[in-house]
Amino acid sequence: MTHDTNAGVQPTLVEQYQRAFAEHGDTPAGVMWPRGRQALRFDALTRHFPDKDFSVLDYGCGLAHLKAYLDQRCSQYEYLGADLVPEFVSAATAKYPEARVQLVQSYMDVSTPVDHIVISGTFNIIEGDDREAYIKRVQAALMHLFGLARKSLAVNFMTDRVDFMQPQALHMNVEEMIAFMRRSLSPRLRLDESYMPYEFTLVALKNSEIIRPDNIYQPL
């Protein structure tokens, strides 16, 4: 694909992904994860999944690498994907014709309830010049998608505890994101900072009913 973007003009998010895919193909670098390490991320995002009989929406699915990961570990599950990039949707559909992969313009285009929602790296690049406005859009997306999740929503971010930040990269404060998700999604959260030093995963669990008199949550 060719681009008419003028020199010095920041390419759109879709254009950045299109260029990465054109250069690197169906690889982690093709979805702008040049160092790979996707298995570590996917483990943190899906560790609470059962072995079978569930549905999952991969929001910002890219080339559906999460499905390849789950296929090695789970059976009898339904995979749904959603992405902004037409080339990703076409490639994922060609690889996995049994999956439902949807081209979307925003989170508002997603309306199918599922058991679990996974969001891996989807919000790492700030769209536009207003960081705070972008964070508000991220929060709105999380609230909308959590409303579709029957059991959980898992999302990862780059942490702000770093020595250097790329100008367009979104680095989130862990404590602020926990506070937002506890206030707006669920009081029942799982934080994982154990798999890489500069990223973190948060899982919001839908069932937050407290079992009395033991004062525990329902087991997963």
Side-chain angles (χ1 to χ4, degrees):
M1 171 172 280
T2 59
H3 301 271
D4 296 327
T5 305
N6 295 325
V9 176
Q10 181 69 35
T12 67
L13 180 65
V14 170
E15 287 174 335
Q16 291 180 62
Y17 279 113
Q18 287 172 328
R19 293 178 181 183
F21 182 49
E23 181 175 355
H24 301 288
D26 191 352
T27 65
V31 291
M32 295 202 293
W33 287 116
R35 298 183 183 180
R37 303 180 293 191
Q38 286 179 306
L40 292 172
R41 297 184 179 98
F42 293 158
D43 176 67
L45 290 160
T46 66
R47 198 176 299 146
H48 58 292
F49 281 18
D51 295 331
K52 62 180 181 178
D53 298 329
F54 64 90
S55 58
V56 57
L57 168 66
D58 186 3
Y59 181 75
C61 64
L63 295 163
H65 293 155
L66 174 64
K67 178 165 171 51
Y69 175 87
L70 290 175
D71 282 350
Q72 298 176 7
R73 293 159 177 81
C74 305
S75 62
Q76 300 176 28
Y77 75 96
E78 182 182 12
Y79 175 91
L80 292 79
D83 206 280
L84 294 167
V85 183
E87 290 83 352
F88 288 170
V89 173
S90 296
T93 300
K95 276 197 304 183
Y96 302 112
E98 75 280 10
R100 288 194 285 161
V101 184
Q102 177 185 4
L103 181 66
V104 298
Q105 299 302 313
S106 80
Y107 62 88
M108 292 299 294
D109 295 331
V110 180
S111 59
T112 302
V114 292
D115 293 325
H116 303 283
I117 294 179
V118 170
I119 308 169
S120 183
T122 303
F123 302 129
N124 283 354
I125 300 175
I126 298 172
E127 295 184 77
D129 300 322
D130 190 332
R131 181 180 185 276
E132 294 307 313
Y134 179 68
I135 290 175
K136 289 185 183 301
R137 294 202 301 274
V138 170
Q139 292 173 340
L142 292 174
M143 288 188 289
H144 173 80
L145 293 170
F146 189 68
L148 300 174
R150 287 188 284 258
K151 297 185 178 179
S152 75
L153 178 147
V155 60
N156 57 22
F157 293 99
M158 296 183 291
T159 177
D160 62 355
R161 296 196 298 268
V162 294
D163 298 325
F164 174 78
M165 298 182 188
Q166 294 283 355
Q168 205 181 355
L170 180 66
H171 291 263
M172 293 298 298
N173 180 272
V174 177
E175 288 74 22
E176 290 178 1
M177 183 51 64
I178 289 173
F180 163 75
M181 290 180 68
R182 181 177 290 132
R183 180 177 66 250
S184 302
L185 303 188
S186 172
R188 189 178 183 183
L189 303 176
R190 175 183 289 175
L191 169 67
D192 192 345
E193 298 180 279
S194 67
Y195 59 103
M196 274 190 272
Y198 305 122
E199 298 181 22
F200 66 96
T201 290
L202 275 166
V203 179
L205 298 163
K206 204 65 176 269
N207 186 348
S208 59
E209 180 183 357
I210 300 173
I211 299 175
R212 310 290 187 185
D214 296 325
N215 291 332
I216 61 173
Y217 288 126
Q218 185 75 29
L220 297 177

